[in-house]
Amino acid sequence: MKKTTLGISTNLYAFIAIFVTLWGGLIPALLVTGYALIKEEDLWLKKTVAKGLVVLLFSLATALIGLLPNAIDIVNDIFNLWSGYFDIRIISAFVRLLNTILNVAEKVIMLLMALFALKGKWFNLGFVDKFIVKHFE
């Protein structure tokens, strides 16, 4: 089994890195991913931790989607200045549902990636894989 410069297996490092990426926040994710990309030689490890970071960055889409109800609130506040009313509650409900679905999907994908990493296997993720392979080869 291949070892990292830290002395642990590449599988365990990838597993830990994905869990840190999932629950540790952006700074710890950047640190564990950056360390692997800079210090480690194993290409599988580099691709795996980079893939975890890419999945995390895609989750920023939920933050952007979450801005939609805020934009509606701003328009509603402007209408309220002139005793008007503008509110589309269905959009807010749809955005909450979409955010919930994306959050659950992100966690499931990251957990599967972590379990595959612990076994030393590659978890296929279509367009994310194409992006990773394109930038590593």
Short mmCIF file of all heavy atoms in Angstrom, two decimals, residues 67-125:
data_model
loop_
_atom_site.label_atom_id
_atom_site.label_comp_id
_atom_site.label_asym_id
_atom_site.label_seq_id
_atom_site.Cartn_x
_atom_site.Cartn_y
_atom_site.Cartn_z
N LEU A 67 -29.70 33.32 -3.07
CA LEU A 67 -29.84 34.77 -3.22
C LEU A 67 -31.16 35.17 -3.86
O LEU A 67 -31.59 36.31 -3.72
CB LEU A 67 -28.68 35.33 -4.04
CG LEU A 67 -27.30 35.28 -3.39
CD1 LEU A 67 -26.25 35.77 -4.36
CD2 LEU A 67 -27.27 36.08 -2.11
N LEU A 68 -31.80 34.25 -4.56
CA LEU A 68 -33.04 34.56 -5.25
C LEU A 68 -34.14 35.07 -4.31
O LEU A 68 -34.74 36.11 -4.58
CB LEU A 68 -33.49 33.36 -6.07
CG LEU A 68 -34.62 33.57 -7.05
CD1 LEU A 68 -34.28 34.69 -8.04
CD2 LEU A 68 -34.92 32.29 -7.81
N PRO A 69 -34.43 34.38 -3.19
CA PRO A 69 -35.43 34.93 -2.27
C PRO A 69 -35.03 36.30 -1.71
O PRO A 69 -35.88 37.15 -1.48
CB PRO A 69 -35.52 33.89 -1.15
CG PRO A 69 -35.00 32.64 -1.75
CD PRO A 69 -33.98 33.06 -2.76
N ASN A 70 -33.73 36.51 -1.51
CA ASN A 70 -33.28 37.81 -1.02
C ASN A 70 -33.55 38.90 -2.05
O ASN A 70 -33.96 40.01 -1.70
CB ASN A 70 -31.79 37.77 -0.69
CG ASN A 70 -31.47 36.85 0.46
OD1 ASN A 70 -32.33 36.49 1.23
ND2 ASN A 70 -30.23 36.46 0.57
N ALA A 71 -33.35 38.57 -3.32
CA ALA A 71 -33.64 39.54 -4.38
C ALA A 71 -35.13 39.85 -4.41
O ALA A 71 -35.53 41.01 -4.59
CB ALA A 71 -33.18 38.99 -5.73
N ILE A 72 -35.96 38.84 -4.23
CA ILE A 72 -37.41 39.06 -4.20
C ILE A 72 -37.78 39.94 -3.01
O ILE A 72 -38.63 40.83 -3.12
CB ILE A 72 -38.16 37.71 -4.17
CG1 ILE A 72 -37.99 37.01 -5.50
CG2 ILE A 72 -39.64 37.91 -3.85
CD1 ILE A 72 -38.46 35.58 -5.52
N ASP A 73 -37.14 39.71 -1.87
CA ASP A 73 -37.40 40.55 -0.69
C ASP A 73 -37.03 42.00 -0.95
O ASP A 73 -37.73 42.92 -0.51
CB ASP A 73 -36.62 40.03 0.53
CG ASP A 73 -37.20 38.74 1.07
OD1 ASP A 73 -38.37 38.43 0.75
OD2 ASP A 73 -36.48 38.03 1.81
N ILE A 74 -35.95 42.24 -1.66
CA ILE A 74 -35.54 43.62 -1.99
C ILE A 74 -36.60 44.27 -2.87
O ILE A 74 -37.02 45.41 -2.61
CB ILE A 74 -34.16 43.63 -2.68
CG1 ILE A 74 -33.07 43.27 -1.68
CG2 ILE A 74 -33.88 45.00 -3.30
CD1 ILE A 74 -31.71 43.03 -2.30
N VAL A 75 -37.05 43.55 -3.89
CA VAL A 75 -38.09 44.10 -4.76
C VAL A 75 -39.36 44.36 -3.96
O VAL A 75 -40.01 45.41 -4.11
CB VAL A 75 -38.36 43.14 -5.95
CG1 VAL A 75 -39.57 43.59 -6.76
CG2 VAL A 75 -37.13 43.04 -6.83
N ASN A 76 -39.71 43.44 -3.08
CA ASN A 76 -40.90 43.61 -2.23
C ASN A 76 -40.75 44.85 -1.34
O ASN A 76 -41.69 45.62 -1.18
CB ASN A 76 -41.13 42.36 -1.39
CG ASN A 76 -42.47 42.40 -0.67
OD1 ASN A 76 -43.45 42.92 -1.18
ND2 ASN A 76 -42.49 41.84 0.53
N ASP A 77 -39.58 45.06 -0.76
CA ASP A 77 -39.34 46.24 0.08
C ASP A 77 -39.47 47.53 -0.73
O ASP A 77 -40.00 48.53 -0.23
CB ASP A 77 -37.96 46.16 0.74
CG ASP A 77 -37.89 45.08 1.80
OD1 ASP A 77 -38.96 44.61 2.25
OD2 ASP A 77 -36.76 44.69 2.16
N ILE A 78 -38.99 47.51 -1.96
CA ILE A 78 -39.12 48.69 -2.82
C ILE A 78 -40.60 48.96 -3.10
O ILE A 78 -41.06 50.11 -3.03
CB ILE A 78 -38.31 48.51 -4.12
CG1 ILE A 78 -36.81 48.52 -3.80
CG2 ILE A 78 -38.66 49.60 -5.14
CD1 ILE A 78 -35.92 48.11 -4.94
N PHE A 79 -41.36 47.91 -3.40
CA PHE A 79 -42.80 48.08 -3.63
C PHE A 79 -43.49 48.60 -2.37
O PHE A 79 -44.42 49.41 -2.46
CB PHE A 79 -43.44 46.76 -4.07
CG PHE A 79 -43.39 46.51 -5.54
CD1 PHE A 79 -42.21 46.13 -6.17
CD2 PHE A 79 -44.53 46.67 -6.32
CE1 PHE A 79 -42.16 45.89 -7.53
CE2 PHE A 79 -44.48 46.44 -7.69
CZ PHE A 79 -43.31 46.06 -8.30
N ASN A 80 -43.06 48.12 -1.20
CA ASN A 80 -43.67 48.55 0.06
C ASN A 80 -43.46 50.04 0.32
O ASN A 80 -44.26 50.66 1.01
CB ASN A 80 -43.13 47.74 1.25
CG ASN A 80 -43.71 46.34 1.29
OD1 ASN A 80 -44.80 46.09 0.78
ND2 ASN A 80 -42.97 45.42 1.88
N LEU A 81 -42.40 50.60 -0.21
CA LEU A 81 -42.17 52.04 -0.04
C LEU A 81 -43.33 52.85 -0.63
O LEU A 81 -43.63 53.94 -0.15
CB LEU A 81 -40.86 52.46 -0.72
CG LEU A 81 -39.57 52.01 -0.05
CD1 LEU A 81 -38.37 52.37 -0.93
CD2 LEU A 81 -39.43 52.63 1.33
N TRP A 82 -43.96 52.33 -1.66
CA TRP A 82 -45.08 53.02 -2.31
C TRP A 82 -46.39 52.29 -2.06
O TRP A 82 -47.30 52.31 -2.88
CB TRP A 82 -44.81 53.15 -3.81
CG TRP A 82 -43.69 54.09 -4.07
CD1 TRP A 82 -43.74 55.46 -4.04
CD2 TRP A 82 -42.34 53.76 -4.35
NE1 TRP A 82 -42.50 55.98 -4.30
CE2 TRP A 82 -41.61 54.95 -4.50
CE3 TRP A 82 -41.64 52.56 -4.50
CZ2 TRP A 82 -40.26 55.00 -4.79
CZ3 TRP A 82 -40.30 52.60 -4.79
CH2 TRP A 82 -39.62 53.81 -4.93
N SER A 83 -46.47 51.60 -0.93
CA SER A 83 -47.68 50.87 -0.51
C SER A 83 -48.09 49.78 -1.50
O SER A 83 -49.25 49.44 -1.61
CB SER A 83 -48.86 51.85 -0.31
OG SER A 83 -48.54 52.78 0.69
N GLY A 84 -47.13 49.27 -2.19
CA GLY A 84 -47.39 48.17 -3.12
C GLY A 84 -47.05 46.83 -2.47
O GLY A 84 -46.68 46.76 -1.31
N TYR A 85 -47.23 45.79 -3.23
CA TYR A 85 -46.95 44.46 -2.70
C TYR A 85 -46.41 43.58 -3.84
O TYR A 85 -46.99 43.53 -4.93
CB TYR A 85 -48.24 43.85 -2.13
CG TYR A 85 -48.04 42.49 -1.52
CD1 TYR A 85 -47.37 42.34 -0.32
CD2 TYR A 85 -48.52 41.36 -2.16
CE1 TYR A 85 -47.19 41.09 0.23
CE2 TYR A 85 -48.35 40.11 -1.62
CZ TYR A 85 -47.68 39.98 -0.41
OH TYR A 85 -47.48 38.75 0.12
N PHE A 86 -45.31 42.90 -3.57
CA PHE A 86 -44.71 41.98 -4.53
C PHE A 86 -44.14 40.82 -3.74
O PHE A 86 -43.20 40.97 -2.99
CB PHE A 86 -43.59 42.68 -5.32
CG PHE A 86 -42.91 41.79 -6.31
CD1 PHE A 86 -43.44 41.59 -7.57
CD2 PHE A 86 -41.72 41.14 -5.99
CE1 PHE A 86 -42.81 40.77 -8.49
CE2 PHE A 86 -41.08 40.32 -6.90
CZ PHE A 86 -41.64 40.14 -8.16
N ASP A 87 -44.74 39.66 -3.90
CA ASP A 87 -44.24 38.50 -3.16
C ASP A 87 -44.60 37.24 -3.93
O ASP A 87 -45.75 37.05 -4.31
CB ASP A 87 -44.87 38.45 -1.76
CG ASP A 87 -44.23 37.40 -0.89
OD1 ASP A 87 -43.11 36.96 -1.20
OD2 ASP A 87 -44.84 37.03 0.13
N ILE A 88 -43.62 36.44 -4.19
CA ILE A 88 -43.85 35.17 -4.86
C ILE A 88 -43.31 34.09 -3.93
O ILE A 88 -42.14 33.72 -3.98
CB ILE A 88 -43.17 35.12 -6.24
CG1 ILE A 88 -43.65 36.29 -7.10
CG2 ILE A 88 -43.46 33.81 -6.93
CD1 ILE A 88 -42.95 36.40 -8.43
N ARG A 89 -44.16 33.63 -3.06
CA ARG A 89 -43.74 32.65 -2.05
C ARG A 89 -43.33 31.31 -2.65
O ARG A 89 -42.49 30.61 -2.10
CB ARG A 89 -44.85 32.44 -1.03
CG ARG A 89 -45.08 33.67 -0.22
CD ARG A 89 -46.31 33.53 0.65
NE ARG A 89 -46.75 34.86 0.99
CZ ARG A 89 -46.66 35.38 2.19
NH1 ARG A 89 -46.20 34.68 3.15
NH2 ARG A 89 -47.04 36.60 2.44
N ILE A 90 -43.90 30.97 -3.76
CA ILE A 90 -43.56 29.68 -4.38
C ILE A 90 -42.09 29.64 -4.80
O ILE A 90 -41.46 28.59 -4.72
CB ILE A 90 -44.50 29.34 -5.55
CG1 ILE A 90 -44.30 27.89 -5.94
CG2 ILE A 90 -44.25 30.24 -6.74
CD1 ILE A 90 -45.51 27.22 -6.47
N ILE A 91 -41.55 30.78 -5.20
CA ILE A 91 -40.13 30.81 -5.57
C ILE A 91 -39.27 30.52 -4.35
O ILE A 91 -38.33 29.74 -4.41
CB ILE A 91 -39.75 32.15 -6.22
CG1 ILE A 91 -40.42 32.26 -7.60
CG2 ILE A 91 -38.24 32.29 -6.35
CD1 ILE A 91 -40.19 33.57 -8.30
N SER A 92 -39.62 31.13 -3.21
CA SER A 92 -38.86 30.89 -1.98
C SER A 92 -38.95 29.42 -1.56
O SER A 92 -37.95 28.81 -1.17
CB SER A 92 -39.37 31.77 -0.85
OG SER A 92 -39.11 33.11 -1.14
N ALA A 93 -40.15 28.84 -1.68
CA ALA A 93 -40.32 27.43 -1.31
C ALA A 93 -39.52 26.54 -2.27
O ALA A 93 -38.87 25.58 -1.83
CB ALA A 93 -41.80 27.06 -1.34
N PHE A 94 -39.56 26.86 -3.55
CA PHE A 94 -38.81 26.08 -4.54
C PHE A 94 -37.31 26.18 -4.28
O PHE A 94 -36.59 25.17 -4.36
CB PHE A 94 -39.14 26.57 -5.95
CG PHE A 94 -38.36 25.87 -7.02
CD1 PHE A 94 -38.64 24.55 -7.37
CD2 PHE A 94 -37.31 26.51 -7.66
CE1 PHE A 94 -37.90 23.90 -8.34
CE2 PHE A 94 -36.56 25.87 -8.63
CZ PHE A 94 -36.86 24.56 -8.97
N VAL A 95 -36.83 27.37 -3.96
CA VAL A 95 -35.40 27.56 -3.69
C VAL A 95 -34.98 26.78 -2.45
O VAL A 95 -33.93 26.14 -2.44
CB VAL A 95 -35.07 29.06 -3.56
CG1 VAL A 95 -33.67 29.27 -2.99
CG2 VAL A 95 -35.20 29.75 -4.90
N ARG A 96 -35.80 26.80 -1.41
CA ARG A 96 -35.48 26.02 -0.20
C ARG A 96 -35.42 24.53 -0.53
O ARG A 96 -34.51 23.82 -0.08
CB ARG A 96 -36.51 26.28 0.90
CG ARG A 96 -36.27 27.54 1.66
CD ARG A 96 -37.10 27.60 2.95
NE ARG A 96 -38.52 27.38 2.71
CZ ARG A 96 -39.39 28.33 2.35
NH1 ARG A 96 -38.98 29.56 2.16
NH2 ARG A 96 -40.66 28.04 2.18
N LEU A 97 -36.38 24.05 -1.32
CA LEU A 97 -36.38 22.64 -1.72
C LEU A 97 -35.14 22.30 -2.54
O LEU A 97 -34.48 21.29 -2.28
CB LEU A 97 -37.65 22.32 -2.53
CG LEU A 97 -37.72 20.91 -3.12
CD1 LEU A 97 -37.77 19.87 -2.02
CD2 LEU A 97 -38.91 20.79 -4.05
N LEU A 98 -34.81 23.14 -3.50
CA LEU A 98 -33.64 22.92 -4.34
C LEU A 98 -32.35 22.92 -3.50
O LEU A 98 -31.48 22.06 -3.68
CB LEU A 98 -33.56 23.97 -5.44
CG LEU A 98 -32.50 23.77 -6.51
CD1 LEU A 98 -32.68 22.44 -7.21
CD2 LEU A 98 -32.55 24.91 -7.50
N ASN A 99 -32.24 23.86 -2.57
CA ASN A 99 -31.06 23.90 -1.70
C ASN A 99 -30.96 22.64 -0.84
O ASN A 99 -29.87 22.10 -0.65
CB ASN A 99 -31.10 25.14 -0.81
CG ASN A 99 -30.52 26.35 -1.48
OD1 ASN A 99 -29.76 26.23 -2.44
ND2 ASN A 99 -30.89 27.52 -1.01
N THR A 100 -32.08 22.17 -0.32
CA THR A 100 -32.08 20.95 0.49
C THR A 100 -31.63 19.76 -0.34
O THR A 100 -30.79 18.96 0.10
CB THR A 100 -33.48 20.70 1.08
OG1 THR A 100 -33.86 21.82 1.86
CG2 THR A 100 -33.50 19.45 1.94
N ILE A 101 -32.16 19.64 -1.56
CA ILE A 101 -31.78 18.53 -2.44
C ILE A 101 -30.29 18.60 -2.76
O ILE A 101 -29.58 17.58 -2.69
CB ILE A 101 -32.62 18.55 -3.73
CG1 ILE A 101 -34.07 18.17 -3.41
CG2 ILE A 101 -32.04 17.62 -4.79
CD1 ILE A 101 -35.04 18.42 -4.55
N LEU A 102 -29.78 19.79 -3.09
CA LEU A 102 -28.36 19.92 -3.41
C LEU A 102 -27.47 19.63 -2.20
O LEU A 102 -26.42 19.00 -2.35
CB LEU A 102 -28.07 21.32 -3.95
CG LEU A 102 -28.63 21.62 -5.34
CD1 LEU A 102 -28.40 23.08 -5.71
CD2 LEU A 102 -28.02 20.71 -6.38
N ASN A 103 -27.88 20.05 -1.01
CA ASN A 103 -27.09 19.77 0.20
C ASN A 103 -27.03 18.28 0.49
O ASN A 103 -25.97 17.74 0.83
CB ASN A 103 -27.66 20.53 1.40
CG ASN A 103 -27.31 21.99 1.38
OD1 ASN A 103 -26.26 22.38 0.86
ND2 ASN A 103 -28.17 22.81 1.92
N VAL A 104 -28.17 17.60 0.38
CA VAL A 104 -28.19 16.16 0.61
C VAL A 104 -27.35 15.44 -0.44
O VAL A 104 -26.56 14.55 -0.12
CB VAL A 104 -29.64 15.63 0.63
CG1 VAL A 104 -29.68 14.11 0.60
CG2 VAL A 104 -30.38 16.15 1.85
N ALA A 105 -27.50 15.84 -1.70
CA ALA A 105 -26.72 15.22 -2.78
C ALA A 105 -25.22 15.40 -2.55
O ALA A 105 -24.44 14.46 -2.73
CB ALA A 105 -27.12 15.80 -4.14
N GLU A 106 -24.82 16.60 -2.14
CA GLU A 106 -23.40 16.85 -1.88
C GLU A 106 -22.87 15.93 -0.78
O GLU A 106 -21.81 15.32 -0.93
CB GLU A 106 -23.18 18.30 -1.47
CG GLU A 106 -21.75 18.59 -1.06
CD GLU A 106 -21.59 19.89 -0.30
OE1 GLU A 106 -22.59 20.53 0.06
OE2 GLU A 106 -20.43 20.25 -0.05
N LYS A 107 -23.63 15.80 0.30
CA LYS A 107 -23.18 14.96 1.40
C LYS A 107 -23.11 13.48 1.01
O LYS A 107 -22.15 12.79 1.35
CB LYS A 107 -24.06 15.18 2.62
CG LYS A 107 -23.79 16.52 3.26
CD LYS A 107 -24.65 16.78 4.45
CE LYS A 107 -24.36 18.08 5.13
NZ LYS A 107 -23.98 19.21 4.34
N VAL A 108 -24.10 13.01 0.26
CA VAL A 108 -24.09 11.62 -0.19
C VAL A 108 -22.91 11.36 -1.11
O VAL A 108 -22.19 10.37 -0.96
CB VAL A 108 -25.43 11.26 -0.87
CG1 VAL A 108 -25.36 9.92 -1.60
CG2 VAL A 108 -26.56 11.25 0.15
N ILE A 109 -22.68 12.27 -2.05
CA ILE A 109 -21.56 12.12 -2.99
C ILE A 109 -20.23 12.11 -2.23
O ILE A 109 -19.37 11.26 -2.49
CB ILE A 109 -21.58 13.23 -4.06
CG1 ILE A 109 -22.72 12.99 -5.04
CG2 ILE A 109 -20.25 13.32 -4.80
CD1 ILE A 109 -23.01 14.15 -5.96
N MET A 110 -20.07 13.04 -1.29
CA MET A 110 -18.81 13.10 -0.54
C MET A 110 -18.62 11.86 0.33
O MET A 110 -17.50 11.35 0.44
CB MET A 110 -18.77 14.37 0.32
CG MET A 110 -18.72 15.64 -0.50
SD MET A 110 -17.17 15.87 -1.35
CE MET A 110 -16.33 16.87 -0.17
N LEU A 111 -19.69 11.36 0.94
CA LEU A 111 -19.56 10.14 1.74
C LEU A 111 -19.18 8.95 0.87
O LEU A 111 -18.32 8.14 1.25
CB LEU A 111 -20.87 9.85 2.48
CG LEU A 111 -21.17 10.76 3.66
CD1 LEU A 111 -22.59 10.51 4.17
CD2 LEU A 111 -20.16 10.56 4.78
N LEU A 112 -19.79 8.84 -0.30
CA LEU A 112 -19.43 7.76 -1.22
C LEU A 112 -17.98 7.91 -1.69
O LEU A 112 -17.24 6.92 -1.75
CB LEU A 112 -20.37 7.74 -2.42
CG LEU A 112 -21.79 7.23 -2.14
CD1 LEU A 112 -22.69 7.46 -3.35
CD2 LEU A 112 -21.77 5.76 -1.75
N MET A 113 -17.58 9.15 -1.99
CA MET A 113 -16.18 9.38 -2.38
C MET A 113 -15.23 8.96 -1.27
O MET A 113 -14.19 8.35 -1.54
CB MET A 113 -15.97 10.86 -2.71
CG MET A 113 -16.50 11.28 -4.06
SD MET A 113 -16.35 13.05 -4.37
CE MET A 113 -14.62 13.33 -4.05
N ALA A 114 -15.57 9.28 -0.03
CA ALA A 114 -14.71 8.93 1.10
C ALA A 114 -14.60 7.41 1.26
O ALA A 114 -13.50 6.89 1.47
CB ALA A 114 -15.25 9.56 2.39
N LEU A 115 -15.72 6.72 1.14
CA LEU A 115 -15.69 5.26 1.27
C LEU A 115 -14.90 4.62 0.13
O LEU A 115 -14.13 3.68 0.35
CB LEU A 115 -17.12 4.71 1.31
CG LEU A 115 -17.91 5.07 2.57
CD1 LEU A 115 -19.35 4.61 2.44
CD2 LEU A 115 -17.26 4.49 3.82
N PHE A 116 -15.08 5.11 -1.09
CA PHE A 116 -14.30 4.60 -2.21
C PHE A 116 -12.81 4.89 -2.00
O PHE A 116 -11.97 4.05 -2.31
CB PHE A 116 -14.78 5.23 -3.53
CG PHE A 116 -15.91 4.48 -4.19
CD1 PHE A 116 -17.15 4.40 -3.60
CD2 PHE A 116 -15.70 3.86 -5.41
CE1 PHE A 116 -18.19 3.72 -4.21
CE2 PHE A 116 -16.73 3.17 -6.04
CZ PHE A 116 -17.98 3.10 -5.43
N ALA A 117 -12.51 6.10 -1.50
CA ALA A 117 -11.10 6.47 -1.27
C ALA A 117 -10.46 5.55 -0.24
O ALA A 117 -9.30 5.16 -0.40
CB ALA A 117 -11.02 7.92 -0.81
N LEU A 118 -11.18 5.21 0.80
CA LEU A 118 -10.64 4.32 1.83
C LEU A 118 -10.28 2.96 1.25
O LEU A 118 -9.32 2.32 1.68
CB LEU A 118 -11.64 4.17 2.97
CG LEU A 118 -11.13 3.60 4.27
CD1 LEU A 118 -9.94 4.40 4.80
CD2 LEU A 118 -12.23 3.54 5.31
N LYS A 119 -11.02 2.54 0.23
CA LYS A 119 -10.73 1.27 -0.45
C LYS A 119 -9.71 1.44 -1.58
O LYS A 119 -9.35 0.48 -2.23
CB LYS A 119 -12.02 0.67 -1.01
CG LYS A 119 -12.99 0.25 0.06
CD LYS A 119 -14.25 -0.30 -0.55
CE LYS A 119 -15.22 -0.72 0.53
NZ LYS A 119 -16.46 -1.29 -0.02
N GLY A 120 -9.31 2.70 -1.85
CA GLY A 120 -8.35 2.95 -2.91
C GLY A 120 -8.96 2.92 -4.29
O GLY A 120 -8.26 2.72 -5.28
N LYS A 121 -10.26 3.14 -4.36
CA LYS A 121 -10.96 3.10 -5.65
C LYS A 121 -11.38 4.50 -6.07
O LYS A 121 -11.44 5.42 -5.26
CB LYS A 121 -12.17 2.18 -5.56
CG LYS A 121 -11.78 0.74 -5.29
CD LYS A 121 -12.96 -0.16 -5.28
CE LYS A 121 -12.50 -1.60 -5.04
NZ LYS A 121 -13.60 -2.52 -5.01
N TRP A 122 -11.69 4.63 -7.33
CA TRP A 122 -12.10 5.91 -7.92
C TRP A 122 -13.62 5.93 -8.02
O TRP A 122 -14.23 5.04 -8.59
CB TRP A 122 -11.47 6.05 -9.29
CG TRP A 122 -11.75 7.34 -9.97
CD1 TRP A 122 -12.61 7.52 -11.01
CD2 TRP A 122 -11.19 8.61 -9.69
NE1 TRP A 122 -12.61 8.84 -11.38
CE2 TRP A 122 -11.75 9.53 -10.59
CE3 TRP A 122 -10.27 9.08 -8.76
CZ2 TRP A 122 -11.42 10.88 -10.60
CZ3 TRP A 122 -9.93 10.41 -8.76
CH2 TRP A 122 -10.50 11.29 -9.66
N PHE A 123 -14.24 6.95 -7.45
CA PHE A 123 -15.70 7.12 -7.53
C PHE A 123 -16.02 7.97 -8.75
O PHE A 123 -15.60 9.11 -8.83
CB PHE A 123 -16.22 7.78 -6.25
CG PHE A 123 -17.70 7.98 -6.24
CD1 PHE A 123 -18.55 6.91 -6.07
CD2 PHE A 123 -18.25 9.24 -6.41
CE1 PHE A 123 -19.93 7.08 -6.06
CE2 PHE A 123 -19.62 9.43 -6.41
CZ PHE A 123 -20.46 8.35 -6.23
N ASN A 124 -16.73 7.41 -9.72
CA ASN A 124 -17.02 8.11 -10.97
C ASN A 124 -18.10 9.17 -10.77
O ASN A 124 -19.15 8.90 -10.20
CB ASN A 124 -17.46 7.13 -12.05
CG ASN A 124 -16.34 6.24 -12.48
OD1 ASN A 124 -15.20 6.70 -12.61
ND2 ASN A 124 -16.62 4.98 -12.70
N LEU A 125 -17.79 10.36 -11.28
CA LEU A 125 -18.72 11.49 -11.17
C LEU A 125 -18.84 12.26 -12.48
O LEU A 125 -18.91 13.48 -12.47
CB LEU A 125 -18.24 12.44 -10.08
CG LEU A 125 -18.98 12.44 -8.78
CD1 LEU A 125 -18.39 13.40 -7.79
CD2 LEU A 125 -20.44 12.58 -8.90
#
